[in-house]
Amino acid sequence: MSTVALAVADGMLHFELSVAYEVFGADLTHIADPWYEVSVHGAGPVRFDRFLLEPERGLDRLPEAETVIVPGWADVDVDPPADLVDAVRAAHRAGARVASLCTGAFVLAAAGLLDGRRATTHWAHTRALAERHPLVDVDPDVLYVDEGSVLTSAGKAAAMDLCLHLVRQDHGSVIANTVARRLVVPPQRAGGQAQFVTAPIPARDDHPLTDLLPWAIARLGGPLTVEDLARRARMSSRHLARHFRAATGTTPLQWLLTQRIRRAQELLEATDESVEAIAAATGMGTATTLRRHFNRTVGVPPDAYRRTFRAARGTRGEPVD
C-alpha cells in the first residue's frame, strides 16, 4: 500500500489532515524503504478554516491510489459534497483501502461503504451517524475499527492510532513503533480500547502509572500478574484497577495481555525463534496459550502471521526489492 491519497474538500478539519500527512507524507525512507508516496486530492482550492489548500490532483484521480484517507468532516449536519462521495466510492470499487479519520466516517457512510459494516467516529457524533445511516453498525466505544478494506477512527488522537495501525499492517510492528517514537506519541493503542478516557495519565512524575507501565513492559518475559503490578505501585489490586481504567480505558490484565501480544508480533516479524520460545519470552508460558490468545486478538495464528508478514516484507522484515 505504497500510494496514499488524502481526499479533501471545503469544510474538513485540518488536524486530521495534518496527522495523516505527518505519518505518511514525511520522508521516512531511513526507517523503511520504500515508504509512502502521498498526494492530496480535491476539486479545486480547499478552504480549511483560515487558510486555503491547493490540491495537487483532482478527485477524479482518487481511484489510482492504493490507500485513500478521508480527514474529519467539520459540520456533520451538512451532507458532504457529492463529488467527494462519488470519488471515495469509486476508489473503493477500484480496490483501494479506504480509511476515515474522526468524522470523515460521514463521508464513507454517504458513499455506502459502511453499510452492513461495523464503524466508529468521534464519540460526540456516533448517535448522529447511527441515526442518519441505520445500516451502519456504529460502535461508540472504540478507538478505531478495521473492517479490512474499510477502516474508521474516533477523534483526534485516535486518528493517529489508526494511521499507525495502517503502518503496522504494511511494515510491521517494529517500524510502526519506530514511527511512534519519532512522533513522540505512545506505541499504538489497540482499536478496541475505550475512546473516552475520563482522566488520561497526567504529564507528571508522581502519577502512580508513570513508572509502572515501562517497568512492566521491561518484564513481560516473566510471570507478571496484576498482584505484582499492584505491589509495585504500592496499592491494592482494586485501587490499581481504578487507576488503569481511568488512565487507559482498560483493565490491568487486558493491558498486560495486549503488551504480550505486541511483543510476540515483534518477535515473529524480526526473529526466527520458535513459537514455543516466543511464548516463553513474552510470558505466555506455552505455545498453546500464545496461539489461543494471539489468534483471538490478531485474527490469525502466530505461524500464519509470520508467513504472511515474511511474504509481504521479505525475510526478517526487510523490504522486498
Side-chain angles (χ1 to χ4, degrees), residues 268 275 291 294-295 298-311:
L268 287 165
V275 174
R291 286 190 174 98
F294 195 97
N295 194 23
V298 182
V300 294
D303 312 83
Y305 179 86
R306 171 177 273 164
R307 287 194 300 270
T308 301
F309 180 82
R310 294 293 177 86

Tab-separated table of all heavy atoms in Angstrom, residues 268 275 291 294-295 298-311:
chain	number	residue	atom	x	y	z
A	268	LEU	N	7.912	-12.379	16.094
A	268	LEU	CA	7.549	-13.157	14.911
A	268	LEU	C	8.040	-12.476	13.636
A	268	LEU	O	8.451	-13.134	12.682
A	268	LEU	CB	6.027	-13.348	14.847
A	268	LEU	CG	5.429	-14.322	15.858
A	268	LEU	CD1	3.920	-14.142	15.936
A	268	LEU	CD2	5.772	-15.765	15.494
A	275	VAL	N	7.700	-20.668	18.001
A	275	VAL	CA	6.537	-20.174	18.735
A	275	VAL	C	6.681	-20.507	20.217
A	275	VAL	O	6.296	-19.722	21.082
A	275	VAL	CB	5.238	-20.778	18.155
A	275	VAL	CG1	4.029	-20.395	19.004
A	275	VAL	CG2	5.031	-20.303	16.721
A	291	ARG	N	-0.859	-19.276	21.114
A	291	ARG	CA	-1.673	-19.433	19.910
A	291	ARG	C	-3.129	-19.051	20.177
A	291	ARG	O	-3.778	-18.415	19.346
A	291	ARG	CB	-1.585	-20.878	19.399
A	291	ARG	CG	-0.253	-21.212	18.730
A	291	ARG	CD	-0.311	-22.564	18.029
A	291	ARG	NE	0.916	-22.807	17.270
A	291	ARG	CZ	1.924	-23.534	17.698
A	291	ARG	NH1	1.878	-24.099	18.922
A	291	ARG	NH2	3.007	-23.704	16.963
A	294	PHE	N	-3.251	-15.173	20.737
A	294	PHE	CA	-2.824	-14.481	19.524
A	294	PHE	C	-3.906	-14.576	18.451
A	294	PHE	O	-4.253	-13.583	17.806
A	294	PHE	CB	-1.519	-15.096	19.021
A	294	PHE	CG	-0.795	-14.252	18.005
A	294	PHE	CD1	0.241	-13.417	18.401
A	294	PHE	CD2	-1.121	-14.294	16.657
A	294	PHE	CE1	0.921	-12.632	17.476
A	294	PHE	CE2	-0.448	-13.527	15.724
A	294	PHE	CZ	0.571	-12.690	16.136
A	295	ASN	N	-4.444	-15.768	18.283
A	295	ASN	CA	-5.479	-15.970	17.261
A	295	ASN	C	-6.718	-15.149	17.580
A	295	ASN	O	-7.330	-14.536	16.691
A	295	ASN	CB	-5.841	-17.453	17.180
A	295	ASN	CG	-6.636	-17.784	15.930
A	295	ASN	OD1	-6.583	-17.069	14.942
A	295	ASN	ND2	-7.389	-18.873	15.981
A	298	VAL	N	-5.362	-11.141	17.229
A	298	VAL	CA	-4.874	-10.697	15.923
A	298	VAL	C	-5.744	-11.214	14.785
A	298	VAL	O	-5.861	-10.582	13.742
A	298	VAL	CB	-3.402	-11.125	15.729
A	298	VAL	CG1	-2.856	-10.640	14.393
A	298	VAL	CG2	-2.548	-10.578	16.869
A	299	GLY	N	-6.359	-12.374	14.997
A	299	GLY	CA	-7.238	-12.930	13.975
A	299	GLY	C	-6.647	-14.076	13.188
A	299	GLY	O	-7.352	-14.734	12.415
A	300	VAL	N	-5.336	-14.333	13.372
A	300	VAL	CA	-4.674	-15.457	12.710
A	300	VAL	C	-3.706	-16.090	13.705
A	300	VAL	O	-3.263	-15.443	14.652
A	300	VAL	CB	-3.892	-15.005	11.450
A	300	VAL	CG1	-4.834	-14.489	10.383
A	300	VAL	CG2	-2.851	-13.961	11.802
A	301	PRO	N	-3.328	-17.365	13.513
A	301	PRO	CA	-2.341	-17.997	14.392
A	301	PRO	C	-0.964	-17.374	14.210
A	301	PRO	O	-0.686	-16.763	13.171
A	301	PRO	CB	-2.349	-19.470	13.941
A	301	PRO	CG	-3.604	-19.634	13.147
A	301	PRO	CD	-3.880	-18.302	12.531
A	302	PRO	N	-0.078	-17.511	15.191
A	302	PRO	CA	1.269	-16.931	15.080
A	302	PRO	C	2.030	-17.388	13.839
A	302	PRO	O	2.692	-16.581	13.175
A	302	PRO	CB	1.968	-17.413	16.362
A	302	PRO	CG	0.863	-17.679	17.323
A	302	PRO	CD	-0.289	-18.159	16.498
A	303	ASP	N	1.944	-18.679	13.514
A	303	ASP	CA	2.677	-19.191	12.352
A	303	ASP	C	2.190	-18.529	11.067
A	303	ASP	O	2.997	-18.159	10.212
A	303	ASP	CB	2.504	-20.708	12.250
A	303	ASP	CG	2.756	-21.406	13.571
A	303	ASP	OD1	1.812	-21.451	14.394
A	303	ASP	OD2	3.875	-21.883	13.792
A	304	ALA	N	0.870	-18.387	10.935
A	304	ALA	CA	0.306	-17.751	9.741
A	304	ALA	C	0.678	-16.272	9.688
A	304	ALA	O	0.953	-15.723	8.614
A	304	ALA	CB	-1.216	-17.907	9.726
A	305	TYR	N	0.710	-15.628	10.856
A	305	TYR	CA	1.097	-14.207	10.912
A	305	TYR	C	2.529	-14.047	10.404
A	305	TYR	O	2.814	-13.155	9.603
A	305	TYR	CB	0.985	-13.703	12.341
A	305	TYR	CG	1.391	-12.252	12.524
A	305	TYR	CD1	0.475	-11.221	12.317
A	305	TYR	CD2	2.697	-11.923	12.878
A	305	TYR	CE1	0.851	-9.896	12.474
A	305	TYR	CE2	3.078	-10.593	13.041
A	305	TYR	CZ	2.158	-9.586	12.844
A	305	TYR	OH	2.532	-8.281	12.984
A	306	ARG	N	3.419	-14.905	10.860
A	306	ARG	CA	4.826	-14.814	10.431
A	306	ARG	C	4.953	-15.057	8.932
A	306	ARG	O	5.653	-14.317	8.237
A	306	ARG	CB	5.669	-15.826	11.208
A	306	ARG	CG	7.085	-15.971	10.681
A	306	ARG	CD	7.906	-16.921	11.535
A	306	ARG	NE	8.523	-16.225	12.657
A	306	ARG	CZ	9.040	-16.844	13.717
A	306	ARG	NH1	8.962	-18.158	13.826
A	306	ARG	NH2	9.632	-16.136	14.676
A	307	ARG	N	4.264	-16.074	8.413
A	307	ARG	CA	4.357	-16.366	6.980
A	307	ARG	C	3.838	-15.206	6.150
A	307	ARG	O	4.438	-14.825	5.146
A	307	ARG	CB	3.587	-17.644	6.650
A	307	ARG	CG	4.253	-18.929	7.110
A	307	ARG	CD	3.609	-20.137	6.438
A	307	ARG	NE	2.188	-20.230	6.757
A	307	ARG	CZ	1.702	-20.900	7.799
A	307	ARG	NH1	2.541	-21.522	8.636
A	307	ARG	NH2	0.408	-20.956	8.014
A	308	THR	N	2.710	-14.631	6.580
A	308	THR	CA	2.118	-13.519	5.843
A	308	THR	C	3.028	-12.307	5.866
A	308	THR	O	3.250	-11.638	4.846
A	308	THR	CB	0.748	-13.147	6.437
A	308	THR	OG1	-0.113	-14.287	6.375
A	308	THR	CG2	0.117	-11.995	5.672
A	309	PHE	N	3.603	-12.024	7.028
A	309	PHE	CA	4.488	-10.873	7.143
A	309	PHE	C	5.747	-11.070	6.313
A	309	PHE	O	6.186	-10.165	5.608
A	309	PHE	CB	4.861	-10.641	8.608
A	309	PHE	CG	5.782	-9.471	8.790
A	309	PHE	CD1	5.276	-8.185	8.827
A	309	PHE	CD2	7.150	-9.664	8.915
A	309	PHE	CE1	6.119	-7.095	8.992
A	309	PHE	CE2	8.000	-8.576	9.079
A	309	PHE	CZ	7.476	-7.299	9.108
A	310	ARG	N	6.322	-12.263	6.385
A	310	ARG	CA	7.549	-12.530	5.627
A	310	ARG	C	7.279	-12.461	4.123
A	310	ARG	O	8.103	-11.967	3.355
A	310	ARG	CB	8.105	-13.901	5.998
A	310	ARG	CG	8.596	-13.991	7.448
A	310	ARG	CD	9.830	-13.125	7.688
A	310	ARG	NE	10.254	-13.143	9.074
A	310	ARG	CZ	11.056	-14.058	9.602
A	310	ARG	NH1	11.511	-15.054	8.855
A	310	ARG	NH2	11.403	-13.981	10.874
A	311	ALA	N	6.110	-12.959	3.708
A	311	ALA	CA	5.784	-12.930	2.280
A	311	ALA	C	5.618	-11.507	1.785
A	311	ALA	O	6.004	-11.165	0.665
A	311	ALA	CB	4.488	-13.718	2.025
